[in-house]
Amino acid sequence: MSIPEGVDRDSMMTQAQNIWTMLDEMSERDPQAYKKFIDKHMKEGKEYMKPPEPHMCVMSMTTSTKGRYFINFCSWNKVPEPKTPEDAIPVIGTPVLQDKDENGDFSYSGVAFSPKILEEFGIECKNSLDRNTLINLAIDYILHQNKTALSRSFSVLPSTTLSKGNLQVLMRAFQGKNKNADDEFDEHLSEMEKTFGLQGLGAKDSLLNKLANLSTEESVQDKNAPNIQLPGLGKEQTNKQNLIQEMNSSNSEQVCETKEPDYKMEEKFNGEDLEKLLLTIKLPGVNKVSECELDISEDDIDLTVEDRYHLNLSFPYLINDTKASAKFNKNNSSLIITLPVQT
């Protein structure tokens, strides 16, 4: 059995053996409690092994070919939640797949998050800015994972269309991410069942979730992937309704020191060739450009107005950052940034 990097094999095996021993003792001491335990964990194990479930679908386009691209957001129990608000959000993605419909050919892929992430920031999120943040982060992930640049102009398909593309192919692509690890893990559990003589038919399956969790959180997040985070994740809340009200209220600046400003990114062409991007950022209350801290690289921009605004945005194309320019319009408190595209 392969052990993910960072997980001590001996420690993992010791924990597994302790679980088997505990169950043997429980089966002799209290058969009824043993049966309840097994039934409970068999149910949990089956939930853990369920395939991803389509949650929402977003339509964008590839920046290179202008072809349609659908991002299938899926909820998957195998993807853990971030341990703290500062941690990157674990995500599993598929390769780029191809299909066609009545409008012609299109590309698609899947990104799977924990159910809790999609519950808070998915299709039913009341704050569209938070949902858009999740979508933009998925676009970042696709660029990193598949080297496919997507337009930041996108649309969320109606809830009647939760996925686009061949769903069976998409599910196989997800399962292929973990198939070898799952098969090895299942085989190893069978060997342990024989070795330790655990009683009860199906007891091996009942512990699949418990033992798998020893390695899942270490292996699911690509260490080289973008540091995907979302605002407000993990903060203690007394109830869901209050959280939604705070995010939508006019006094939301009291909840956090900075917020993401409204912005618009436009593509400017010279004939058929893309010449530059024009980024307009609205900064109500800002009176002069000296209040803005601006950092532009060839692939992203970071803007900070102390205690008021913060924007970090990845570009859909590589930018010639040495020729980028910015001007501040005092009349409408807007920062207009011209970003020449690399040729």
Side-chain angles (χ1 to χ4, degrees), residues 209-221:
N209 187 28
K210 183 176 286 294
L211 292 178
N213 283 338
L214 298 177
S215 61
T216 298
E217 292 190 5
E218 296 292 336
S219 61
V220 72
Q221 177 66 34

Side-chain angles (χ1 to χ4, degrees), residues 282-328:
K282 296 183 179 180
L283 301 167
V286 177
N287 299 314
K288 50 188 176 180
V289 70
S290 60
E291 297 180 53
C292 305
E293 295 181 16
L294 186 63
D295 182 28
I296 301 175
S297 70
E298 67 175 8
D299 56 9
D300 72 352
I301 182 173
D302 192 273
L303 169 70
T304 300
V305 179
E306 187 175 2
D307 295 336
R308 301 177 75 175
Y309 299 106
H310 180 251
L311 175 67
N312 183 269
L313 186 64
S314 297
F315 300 134
Y317 311 94
L318 291 179
I319 298 301
N320 189 338
D321 54 308
T322 60
K323 295 184 178 180
S325 61
K327 62 180 181 179
F328 187 78

Side-chain angles (χ1 to χ4, degrees), residues 111-171:
V111 285
F113 295 91
S114 75
K116 181 176 176 59
I117 290 296
L118 291 178
E119 179 184 343
E120 295 190 16
F121 302 100
I123 193 169
E124 295 183 357
C125 179
K126 302 300 181 183
N127 190 319
S128 61
L129 290 178
D130 285 344
R131 183 175 62 239
N132 290 348
T133 298
L134 178 66
I135 294 171
N136 275 294
L137 292 175
I139 290 175
D140 291 341
Y141 180 82
I142 291 170
L143 175 62
H144 173 271
Q145 172 114 338
N146 298 322
K147 310 304 179 187
T148 301
L150 302 180
S151 170
R152 301 286 167 170
S153 297
F154 51 77
S155 59
V156 180
L157 299 188
S159 57
T160 53
T161 306
L162 296 181
S163 66
K164 186 73 174 179
N166 190 312
L167 190 56
Q168 291 184 344
V169 172
L170 184 68
M171 292 301 105

